[in-house]
Amino acid sequence: YGRRAEGKLKEKTVERLLPCIADIAPLPRDLMENCVRRACNRAGLEAWEWETTLRVACGVYKGYHARHPYKQQRREYIMSLEPIRNTRDYLYGRLLAVAEHIENLALYLADEKRPTNAERLMQRFCDHPLSTWLTIRKSLEPYRQRLLQKQRGGFLHNMDSLLNEIHALFQPGDFESSEKLSGEFLLGYYCQRQALWEKNDAPANT
């Protein structure tokens, strides 16, 4: 609930979460979905606040599915990149992270401080992944040209190869589906972003 978590709302939420801690009970679905919605809506959040929100959302989504009330629907995730996971939502999250990484480096080299298209369009991306991805992909072209001018052709080659690898993992029909993304895309996004930072392809503060 962010800054709204005060008084009775906070008390009631803590009351609902205590059994999840003490008795390892399943996490409430509505709280998981609320965390995912907040993480997708970056507008109005300070950078540090959104980073915290993203980590919490990923952890809650992971925990919710690990303890799902129905055993047949339980899923296990790890908080590091799973390069062979081929679920649609996870792969779309990875695509978004790579696009953000490319634009971030171009902005950094130009000494521009503003949100990337991936950041601005995250909520829309969650609701309409295919059409929004095509918009983001097209918007990368000017930044690609900047990077080529800055002698970053090797970086672009690596990013293009990674995008191709991710695309190849989609199952037939998944990429074209117009279905809304679940919170799993945040896990794919977060883990791919962490993996890219660890490679030091771009400065740590981007």
Side-chain angles (χ1 to χ4, degrees):
Y1 295 106
R3 300 184 186 116
R4 295 187 294 115
E6 298 177 353
K8 290 185 177 180
L9 176 61
K10 185 174 182 178
E11 289 177 14
K12 185 177 179 181
T13 305
V14 169
E15 201 173 281
R16 295 179 67 196
L17 288 173
L18 279 175
C20 305
I21 300 168
D23 304 325
I24 317 180
L27 290 161
R29 182 183 179 89
D30 64 303
L31 293 183
M32 179 273 290
E33 291 177 340
N34 189 61
C35 285
V36 170
R37 278 195 300 272
R38 277 187 56 79
C40 290
N41 186 12
R42 299 171 78 152
L45 295 178
E46 297 289 339
W48 67 267
E49 186 178 12
W50 179 77
E51 291 287 350
T52 300
T53 301
L54 175 64
R55 288 193 293 272
V56 170
C58 287
V60 171
Y61 185 86
K62 174 180 179 290
Y64 173 80
H65 283 283
R67 302 182 188 178
H68 199 284
Y70 300 106
K71 287 186 177 181
Q72 63 272 25
Q73 294 190 38
R74 290 178 185 171
R75 299 198 294 272
E76 293 292 337
Y77 297 98
I78 59 176
M79 292 303 288
S80 58
L81 183 63
E82 299 180 64
I84 61 172
R85 184 178 284 276
N86 63 357
T87 51
R88 169 182 173 265
D89 296 7
Y90 194 86
L91 294 174
Y92 258 119
R94 291 185 64 189
L95 289 177
L96 187 67
V98 177
E100 181 181 87
H101 194 63
I102 294 170
E103 188 173 346
N104 257 332
L105 180 58
L107 291 174
Y108 175 82
L109 293 175
D111 198 25
E112 291 184 34
K113 296 182 180 180
R114 59 176 176 77
T116 64
N117 287 302
E119 291 175 286
R120 292 190 304 100
L121 298 175
M122 182 172 274
Q123 182 61 64
R124 182 177 150 194
F125 185 80
C126 178
D127 295 334
H128 308 285
L130 176 58
S131 61
T132 310
W133 169 247
L134 295 176
T135 297
I136 291 172
R137 191 74 174 86
K138 185 177 180 180
S139 71
L140 283 177
E141 288 309 310
Y143 300 104
R144 291 172 59 83
Q145 293 304 314
R146 284 191 199 180
L147 290 170
L148 288 172
Q149 291 170 7
K150 296 287 186 178
Q151 308 299 314
R152 296 296 179 124
F155 169 82
L156 283 176
H157 174 76
N158 291 338
M159 293 303 99
D160 287 342
S161 296
L162 181 55
L163 287 173
N164 289 336
E165 288 174 16
I166 297 170
H167 273 290
L169 289 170
F170 278 92
Q171 298 297 300
D174 278 359
F175 181 71
E176 297 80 9
S177 172
S178 59
E179 186 177 344
K180 182 178 177 178
L181 298 175
S182 70
E184 188 183 57
F185 100 89
L186 290 175
L187 280 169
Y189 166 81
Y190 175 82
C191 294
Q192 181 64 75
R193 192 177 67 151
Q194 292 299 110
L196 288 168
W197 282 356
E198 288 167 7
K199 281 188 174 182
N200 292 322
D201 280 331
N205 64 347
T206 65

